[in-house]
Amino acid sequence: MMEKKNIDWANLGFGYIKTDYRFAANYKDGAWEEGGLTQEANLVINECAGVLQYAQTIFEGMKAYTTADGRIVTFRPDLNAERMEQSAKRLEMPVFPKEKFVEAVLKTIGANAAYVPPYGSGATLYVRPFMFGSSPVIGVKPADEYQFRVFTTPVGPYFKGGVKPLTIRVSDFDRAAPRGTGHIKAGLNYAMSLHAIVDAHNQGYDENMYLDAGTRTKVEETGGANFLFVTKDGKVVTPKSDSILPSITRRSLVQVAKEYLGLEAEEREVYLEELPDFAECGLCGTAAVISPVGKVVDHGREICFAGGMTEMGPVTKKLYETLTGIQMGTIKAPEGWVVEVKSR
């Protein structure tokens, strides 16, 4: 067993802590080089690099955990590889092959095994694969050269001091155009959401609820997480839209609802006007798995969710406990969901 780093796991925040190794591979002359682990965390790039001039950059977010029996695992990396492939195609970037992506992720986690928080600490190792245009670009066009990298950082438990349901406002800003880039994980989507989130925080809200830009009548996502609703008769409903990011956590939770909890689950368009009909509301994503939402404020009108004003609603809680149980190895996982990492 590798000796763990001397870190106060329980008091970690969600911030960057440099770990020992990261993976890097370059794309030039139309092909990816082999790539490998490096200890160098800083990059030297040209002032005119495509990423700096025209925001040609995409990323993924995933986690590694220590299971109840002491193994290090990560969750569904193949789906992150597929999603990154979609992002790359949309931004005219070369695809980093799926098998190589998974291999690079496992290698990087394994090399930083001493930073994977112990089981029961609530902390996890956050894994960030990303790719950017590295060659100089001054005319508006895709770069010719790219770098794919993976780094890791240990992060604290998302819910410090218990689960406090979030208060969300219906945003006046649009997150994504109907035929834009809302469905891919590109840095540019996050850059344009910064003003909206700072503004929401300044007004006393935790997050924004973005509506569809076309009609502004349908619920999309928050910019950092997908919505998940529970009807009064216990059915799980998630919004369907071409301009929201296909959350891997959300897809997993829908499967858990059906196969583990025997609940009905459907993905469909969700209208803002039907929010008062739901019993529970949550945000799902890599960081928290599910964060409960206590209320949504629509320009002064408060929509409260009975299951979730003070704590996680009963169905949301069951979903949360089941998925985290699968991730932590206390509940049997569906085939291929949990991938073991060999430490080097």
Side-chain angles (χ1 to χ4, degrees), residues 15-30:
Y16 172 79
I17 293 172
K18 185 183 162 198
T19 56
D20 296 341
Y21 294 94
R22 64 271 313 126
F23 180 89
N26 290 303
Y27 178 90
K28 54 159 121 235
D29 303 326

Side-chain angles (χ1 to χ4, degrees), residues 289-304:
V289 179
I290 307 184
S291 305
V293 173
K295 67 179 171 190
V296 172
V297 181
D298 178 13
H299 301 86
R301 177 175 72 115
E302 295 198 349
I303 302 157
C304 298

Side-chain angles (χ1 to χ4, degrees), residues 203-312:
Q203 309 289 332
Y205 300 101
D206 295 302
E207 269 291 359
N208 288 293
M209 171 181 277
Y210 291 106
L211 303 177
D212 71 295
T215 69
R216 296 197 55 81
T217 58
K218 292 176 277 199
V219 175
E220 294 233 309
E221 57 156 279
T222 66
N226 282 185
F227 279 102
L228 180 143
F229 299 98
V230 181
T231 63
K232 292 186 170 120
D233 56 0
K235 184 179 189 176
V236 174
V237 178
T238 61
K240 185 181 177 73
S241 160
D242 290 337
S243 51
I244 63 179
L245 193 75
S247 160
I248 292 162
T249 307
R250 171 183 53 82
R251 285 181 272 171
S252 305
L253 285 166
V254 166
Q255 199 172 325
V256 161
K258 292 178 184 165
E259 295 174 14
Y260 283 73
L261 303 177
L263 299 171
E264 263 187 85
E266 69 168 342
E267 186 188 7
R268 64 168 172 82
E269 292 187 331
V270 174
Y271 286 85
L272 179 62
E273 63 184 31
E274 58 176 308
L275 285 194
D277 302 338
F278 292 114
E280 299 174 40
C281 172
L283 299 182
C284 44
T286 299
V289 179
I290 307 184
S291 305
V293 173
K295 67 179 171 190
V296 172
V297 181
D298 178 13
H299 301 86
R301 177 175 72 115
E302 295 198 349
I303 302 157
C304 298
F305 299 99
M309 281 303 289
T310 53
E311 55 184 11
M312 218 177 242

Side-chain angles (χ1 to χ4, degrees), residues 3 95 105 108 113 128 137 139 167 172 225-226 287 301 305:
E3 187 74 27
V95 169
V105 163
T108 311
R128 171 59 58 93
V137 179
T167 300
D172 289 329
N226 282 185
R301 177 175 72 115
F305 299 99

Side-chain angles (χ1 to χ4, degrees), residues 43-86:
L43 297 167
V44 177
I45 52 175
N46 187 277
E47 61 189 352
C48 196
V51 60
L52 300 178
Q53 302 309 320
Y54 303 123
Q56 211 184 3
T57 177
I58 56 177
F59 69 99
E60 277 300 322
M62 47 208 298
K63 283 182 163 184
Y65 318 81
T66 304
T67 59
D69 60 4
R71 294 173 303 131
I72 293 176
V73 301
T74 187
F75 186 67
R76 308 191 79 177
D78 54 318
L79 294 190
N80 292 92
E82 281 167 18
R83 191 167 65 181
M84 196 163 197
E85 180 175 334
Q86 298 312 313

